[in-house]
Each structure stands twice: as structure tokens, then as C-alpha cells.
Amino acid sequence: MDRDQKVRIVTLGCAKNEVDSEEIAGVLGHAGYEIDGLSKKVGVTVINTCGFLEASKEESIRAIKEAVREKRAGKTGRVIVAGCLAQRMGAELAELAPGADLYVGVGQMGRFDEIVRETPRLTREEKIQVSAPHHRWADVPTRARSGRPWSAYLKVSEGCDHKCTFCTIPSFRGGHQSKPMERVLAEANHLARQGTREINLIAQDVTQYGFDLYKEFTLPRLLRELNKVDGIDWIRILYFYPNRLTDDVIDAMANSAKVLPYIDIPLQHAHPETLRRMKRPWDGERYLKLLEKVRAAMPEVAIRTTFIVGFPGETEEEFKYLLDFVKQAKLDRVGAFVFSREPGTPSHDMEGQISAKVKQERYDKLMRTQQIISLQVNQGWVGRALKVLVEDKQGDWWIGRSHRDAPEIDGLIFFQGEAGLGQIVEVQIDKAEAYDLYGKSEGFVERPGRRMLPLRQAGPLAPK
């Protein structure tokens, strides 16, 4: 194939960007382009940028500059900068990282063949194409999978209507926009036909699904419909908003056999005053009651959350309240962010900014506290069996994930015995660490003189 028809896609950021890149790849593939990440020379490099945090911005700018250097060296032809950071910064990004042929905003995956074709003819003024975000859903069959075939992300909505004072996402992803239910179901069936066994539903707030289209929160109905899709064994839901994890949602999860008992609910903090400044709902006491309700309905549920430490105005008392909440909640997984001042957000200019030193100290203390809890929770699985989706093998060890483990962010299960990639097997757990579990599947034969040794050892502050 002619070099000009070869396209390299560089994906930065979250799973939503991964889906966007797969849609871009599918659209270009159907238009006759070849997606090639290995060739030394390609005709087009697409950089799907992330603009969530300052660190993400810096990573994206480095990637753009590297692609422009490759262009000057003749290793790539056109350079197209797409995605969140292009949407967030527009002309400013073109000044910080100049030399690309086009800077295009979000929601344009469905017309990327047109974008690539038109790029050589653009005038200087046309090289920045960033308008108010309006998502165009790509046709279902055009998505080109790039990950493991047995697990896939399925985006059910775009954008966000919440006004969290620390978050930049609504400014460049726009307001909440649901994918019509018939398209979600068609995509789930399409993925199942391709061999997908686990679908991971993603959105900025999956609990708001359907409200813009159907004038009611439709996640429970969506889950019941997805539960009927042949070929799909696991349905995982990512990113619940606390006050919309309703009884109806919990009931739909608990009574849909394929929906995993897994809750990823970013709480961000627990102290009522910190949450008020963040414009987030409720407080630690109500969160504990919600967790109690979830656990009553789904006794084996795994609950993950994320917190922000060092938010402006966070006092020692407020941070201690957060630590006490973590100890009471006994969550399976906790991630944390050190507060990042993001231009354009209300929190950027709030009074009471916390020093970098104090923020790091609080982060370390929070993660040390949770690491002890995570170990205790994991130890509760020793002697029990878990269904494991097998994803890799190293030597005699199979590596997989249970219902407790979302792709890329949670722990792993290492085991020996009979298995195969993409299979779901039962593993008897006999060892626990803070983030990972170890065990044996059916057919395991002990070898004299050999001990089961952990394949990896988490560091003292390794957040999972």
C-alpha cells in the first residue's frame, strides 16, 4: 500500500479516548486507509490528545512536538491533532505545539475520512477547527478493535452536565449526550459477534444515561436489555454519580445475572464542607448508608472510588474526616489525585490553596491507610473461589481479572492450572497481597521443590 494511505494513531488519556481512536481507525479503514503503528514511515499521524489535567496536557504537547519532528525528518506526512486538548485550547495549542497540519476538536470520529482527505487543501486559517462540542456517533460496524478481543469498552454517553469546581471536562466535552439505546444494543451485539465476552460501559456519568433522550434515567432498562445479549458474559459499569445510584439501578444490577457486582463511584471527598466547595453531593455519612445498601443487595460487590487530596481550603480536620471515612467504608479499591489547579475551573482561583508539600504528605498518608484496608479486604477472599477472565500467561502463571477488577486500573489474579486466553475459569484463592490475589485453577499439579512466588510486589505507596 502507498505510504500516503498508512495512518498511525497515537492515543493518550482514558478509555473513552481509546474508544474514540478505535472509531477513527474504523472509519479510516473503511475509507481505504491502513492503520499501521509499526512502519517507520506513514502518510498521516493522528494524535488523540488528553486535556484532563496539567500533566495530561504536557504529555500531549510532547507527543505533538515529537510527531512534528518526525514530519520534518520525513518519517510522517501530515500530522493531525485531535481530541480533548485540541478542543480545550484551540489556537493556543497551535502556538504551544506548532507545526501540525490540523487541530480538530472532539466528536468528529464519524467524519475522519473526510478530515484526512481535506487536510492537504486547508488554508492556514482552516487548520484550527474547534467549535462547540457536538458528538457525532460513528456507525456501529466501523469501529476497529485494537485491544484484547474478549474485553471491550462501550461508550454509552458523552459529556457531562455537572458543575464540579475542579473539573475541566464539561468545557471541552460539552453537555451530557446519550447514545440512543438501539445503537448501544447494536454495538453490544456487534462486539459479541467479534468474540467480546466482557463489555465495560463508560461515560462521564453513566447514571445520567438516557435522560436527554427519554426524559428519564434509563440505566436500569439499558442493563436489563444488555443482559439479554447472547455471547456477552460480563457487563461492568464504570463511573456512577453518588446521588444517582438509586434503588432502581441497584435492583437492576442485583437481578441481572451478567451485570457484575462492581461499583466505580468517584466520591472525591467525604467531608461536607470540602464537598460543598467542590459542588459535589452529600457527605460521608450518607455515602456510608449508600454503601451499606449496595452491599446488602450485592454481598460480593467490589467498590472502587477516587479522592482528591489538597483541595483548596482542605483543613487538617477535613482531611482527618476523609481518613476516618476510608477506615469505616472499607472499600476494595481507592485511587487518589493530588489536587491540580486547572485553568478555567472555579477551584483554580479559590482561596486556601494547599502547598505541594502538604498535598503530597496527605496523598501518601491516605494511600498508606488504604493499602492496609485493601490487604485486609483481599485476605477475606483466601479460601474462596472467584471466576477469572484469563488475559495473559507468564511462564507457568496465568494472569486474569475477576468481577472485582476493572481493566487497567485494579488488581490482577495470578494462578496456575488449566486455562486458556479469553476463557472464564474458576480459581481457588490461597494467597492475598494488597492489590493482587494468587491461586489455582482446576488441573493444577504441585511440582516438588517449587514454591508459589508472587510475580510482582506492590510498592509501599502504589495506588491501584
Side-chain angles (χ1 to χ4, degrees):
M1 179 174 281
D2 186 275
R3 165 193 150 162
D4 288 345
Q5 295 297 107
K6 291 185 177 182
V7 180
R8 176 189 300 125
I9 300 177
V10 178
T11 306
L12 304 171
C14 67
K16 302 176 195 70
N17 265 16
E18 180 181 318
V19 174
D20 290 350
S21 290
E22 289 183 353
E23 290 185 352
I24 291 171
V27 168
L28 292 178
H30 276 68
Y33 293 90
E34 178 185 348
I35 308 304
D36 189 337
L38 300 176
S39 291
K40 293 183 178 179
K41 292 186 177 182
V42 294
V44 182
T45 295
V46 178
I47 302 173
N48 191 3
T49 59
C50 177
F52 179 45
L53 297 174
E54 192 65 24
S56 310
K57 168 185 163 183
E58 292 171 1
E59 181 185 25
S60 294
I61 288 174
R62 285 195 300 271
I64 297 167
K65 289 180 175 179
E66 175 61 26
V68 171
R69 282 193 292 269
E70 290 185 347
K71 177 183 175 182
R72 290 169 181 161
K75 296 179 180 179
T76 186
R78 288 156 282 170
V79 175
I80 299 175
V81 178
C84 295
L85 192 62
Q87 182 74 39
R88 181 180 179 184
M89 300 185 69
E92 185 183 352
L93 179 60
E95 292 179 7
L96 285 172
D101 297 88
L102 175 63
Y103 301 81
V104 61
V106 301
Q108 305 299 312
M109 291 75 70
R111 57 178 288 264
F112 231 84
D113 53 341
E114 173 189 332
I115 288 171
V116 171
R117 283 196 309 270
E118 291 181 351
T119 301
R121 299 189 291 272
L122 297 177
T123 66
R124 183 171 181 176
E125 290 72 25
E126 292 171 329
K127 289 187 175 183
I128 300 171
Q129 298 183 9
V130 178
S131 55
H134 176 70
H135 198 78
R136 305 184 187 187
W137 302 109
D139 291 337
V140 168
T142 58
R143 179 178 171 187
R145 294 296 318 286
S146 60
R148 296 180 170 108
W150 49 79
S151 178
Y153 293 103
L154 202 172
K155 188 187 295 187
V156 300
S157 68
E158 261 293 355
C160 185
D161 288 343
H162 300 298
K163 307 297 182 186
C164 305
T165 57
F166 52 82
C167 187
T168 59
I169 289 172
S171 67
F172 54 80
R173 282 287 183 178
H176 183 269
Q177 184 179 351
S178 300
K179 183 182 290 184
M181 188 174 297
E182 62 270 19
R183 295 192 71 146
V184 176
L185 295 174
E187 190 167 351
N189 278 284
H190 179 67
L191 290 168
R193 287 192 295 270
Q194 293 181 317
T196 300
R197 303 191 67 178
E198 173 193 49
I199 56 173
N200 300 277
L201 307 184
I202 52 171
Q204 295 304 137
D205 171 12
V206 74
T207 55
Q208 194 175 348
Y209 175 75
F211 190 81
D212 52 318
L213 297 178
Y214 312 114
K215 307 308 175 191
E216 63 179 358
F217 298 115
T218 325
L219 179 61
R221 181 154 64 95
L222 176 64
L223 295 179
R224 293 186 180 101
E225 291 300 317
L226 286 170
N227 195 61
K228 301 173 187 177
V229 176
D230 290 336
I232 299 298
D233 296 292
W234 286 4
I235 301 166
R236 188 185 304 276
I237 312 168
L238 298 174
Y239 318 130
F240 292 82
Y241 199 73
N243 62 354
R244 291 188 182 153
L245 181 49
T246 62
D247 291 350
D248 286 344
V249 174
I250 295 170
D251 180 72
M253 293 183 68
N255 292 292
S256 300
K258 296 180 181 181
V259 177
L260 297 178
Y262 180 93
I263 303 283
D264 189 328
I265 180 168
L267 298 176
Q268 311 301 2
H269 212 278
H271 194 281
E273 285 303 305
T274 318
L275 290 166
R276 181 186 59 79
R277 294 193 299 275
M278 290 179 169
K279 288 197 174 177
R280 297 282 297 181
W282 293 0
D283 55 46
E285 288 188 15
R286 292 192 70 176
Y287 291 161
L288 288 172
K289 290 177 182 176
L290 176 63
L291 300 181
E292 183 179 345
K293 182 185 295 186
V294 168
R295 286 165 171 155
M298 296 177 280
E300 294 192 347
V301 69
I303 303 175
R304 151 178 274 278
T305 195
T306 51
F307 296 116
I308 296 173
V309 296
F311 191 79
E314 183 188 55
T315 63
E316 284 294 336
E317 178 187 354
E318 290 175 7
F319 177 66
K320 183 179 181 300
Y321 185 102
L322 174 60
L323 283 183
D324 290 341
F325 171 82
V326 168
K327 292 172 185 175
Q328 292 179 70
K330 298 191 184 325
L331 299 161
D332 295 70
R333 319 285 190 194
V334 169
F337 293 98
V338 169
F339 171 73
S340 173
R341 295 182 70 184
E342 298 299 318
T345 62
S347 60
H348 182 274
D349 300 316
M350 279 185 179
E351 295 182 357
Q353 298 288 332
I354 310 296
S355 71
K357 180 175 181 290
V358 171
K359 286 192 287 191
Q360 189 62 47
E361 287 173 350
R362 290 178 181 176
Y363 171 86
D364 292 347
K365 191 168 186 178
L366 174 64
M367 296 315 298
R368 279 196 297 268
T369 300
Q370 176 59 33
Q371 192 173 52
I372 295 169
I373 295 167
S374 293
L375 177 59
Q376 292 171 344
V377 172
N378 272 1
Q379 286 171 336
W381 285 95
V382 173
R384 301 176 64 188
L386 279 168
K387 297 286 188 182
V388 175
L389 176 59
V390 185
E391 297 200 296
D392 200 359
K393 190 177 186 186
Q394 296 180 9
D396 294 334
W397 292 85
W398 295 99
I399 306 171
R401 295 180 291 105
S402 72
H403 76 271
R404 307 176 64 242
D405 311 302
E408 301 168 348
I409 59 173
D410 289 325
L412 297 170
I413 296 183
F414 300 93
F415 67 97
Q416 295 178 317
E418 295 178 359
L421 294 178
Q423 292 182 358
I424 296 176
V425 300
E426 188 170 282
V427 175
Q428 190 74 20
I429 304 301
D430 53 24
K431 179 180 172 57
E433 292 182 349
Y435 306 120
D436 302 324
L437 295 174
Y438 300 83
K440 305 178 184 71
S441 68
E442 186 178 348
F444 172 76
V445 178
E446 188 76 52
R447 298 186 186 182
R450 297 190 65 181
R451 293 185 301 137
M452 290 184 67
L453 296 175
L455 292 184
R456 67 177 186 179
Q457 183 70 42
L461 296 175
K464 270 279 186 180

